[in-house]
Amino acid sequence: MSQSDPRRAIPRTDSVLAQAPFVDAARRLGRTTVRAAVAVAQERAREGEIAPDEVAATALATLPLRASSLTPVLNATGVVVHTNLGRAPLSSSAIEAVMDACGYVDVEMDLPSGRRSSRGVGAVEALTTAVPGAGGALAVNNGAAALVLATTALAAGREVVISRGEMVEIGDGFRLPDLIASTGARLREVGTTNRTHLRDYTDAIGRETGCVLKVHPSNFRIDGFVSGVGLEELRGLTRPDGTPVPVVADIGSGLLAPDPALPDEPDAATSLRHGANLVTASGDKLLGGPQAGLLLGDAELVEHLRRHPLARALRVDKLTLAALEATVRGGATPVSDSLHADADDLRERAERLAARLEREVVAVRGRVGGGGGPGVPLPGWAVEVPEAAVARLRDPRDGMPVVLARVDDGRGLLDLRCVPPEQDEDLETATRAALAEIGAPEP
Ligand SMILES: *Cc1c(COP(=O)(O)O)cnc(C)c1O
């Protein structure tokens, strides 16, 4: 290499790593990753592919923006509880609570006495306060885990009595009957797909009965010649020896109290009042909190579940407990805001956005999603864009917000229901860029 060889100008690794953006990137991504990116850029400079003074910028451009590969997405699909997008966005109070819980926290300690305490008492108290009929509460990993814990503790080696009309698949091929069978409980199916009567249950109950399970068939509806048995009728059933049969209600989406906007959606308080001994539900569907499974009901029954060895394997971490407690204690969540968004407000926002982008607005129907309220229409408004823009909007480009839009009948639609109003501008920026990239014709 001669004195005048441009390769002599290639910056040294240490001097690149000392630059502020690289110090920052190393904190986020680790020094090894950053060093490797610099080495690749230096090699390219040696090969003459880039100029020596482009090494730093080239290396930086190859580094991911975030330490996690999970990319924030603007949900313009109109589907409120979107399972592929992480279901419920956390409320600001839940986010604050999670931040506070990131370090050392008293999750299992009573600070005044310095003694060990029961884990997550705050979340339990919040839940039992919010659901008056619940003597006890327990949070586990998710709704499926809640169901597994309940059926294992109550019916492993025995029978779970369940209506054939409630043998549901919850998504991605997961079937509740398979889940229950995996616990070692036997399914005792009663009734038919469309009709089940009280005598079907009473005929099936015997010495082997562990519990009766009622499952809310959240993601579908059958109409016509149908009948089922309500919780009120199942209350007080006993085995031949006179012992009471616990009734477990899997309500699914996790409303703690009734929501008039969702008249067919069961809630925990009503289910307990109507005779369920235990309710299981998800934390990240209509409750609008973190992924969790909730178990609410008779104090003794919940204590029995808490002490079951499986409970230890299904327990949630401090971050979930923090977010769950804050969600239950707090007021509105992004899920409830989106669900109850006013159609006129949505129209106003859509028209403003459409005017700026020179597009049209369209009346649309949003969806509850997450297997909830399948028949509930959510009237709203969307901005129409060419279908080709939808893929561009989904593509993470530097610094540009990623947007998930929906496609309907060959049109791209930006439904504002689940976009926080303060992010309308981000949506506009991303859409403007996407439209420019595809060379969108004027509407
Ligand atoms: C969603 C759902 C579940 C599963 O809950 P996850 O939190 O997804 O594990 C179980 N039962 C019903 C009725 C549901 O709707």
Side-chain angles (χ1 to χ4, degrees), residues 327-350:
T327 302
V328 174
R329 288 195 199 282
T333 63
V335 165
S336 62
D337 287 348
S338 298
L339 211 53
H340 301 113
D342 180 65
D344 291 336
D345 288 348
L346 293 174
R347 181 174 198 163
E348 214 181 290
R349 286 170 56 202

Side-chain angles (χ1 to χ4, degrees), residues 101 172 203 212 299 303 309 330 363 420:
D172 200 23
D203 285 354
V212 167
E303 193 51 30

Side-chain angles (χ1 to χ4, degrees), residues 87 142-144 170 176 215-216 218 250-253 282 284-285 292 370-371:
R87 290 193 180 160
N142 58 11
I170 52 181
L176 289 195
V215 177
H216 176 56
S218 355
D250 176 16
I251 62 169
S253 71
S282 296
D284 54 354
K285 292 182 183 170

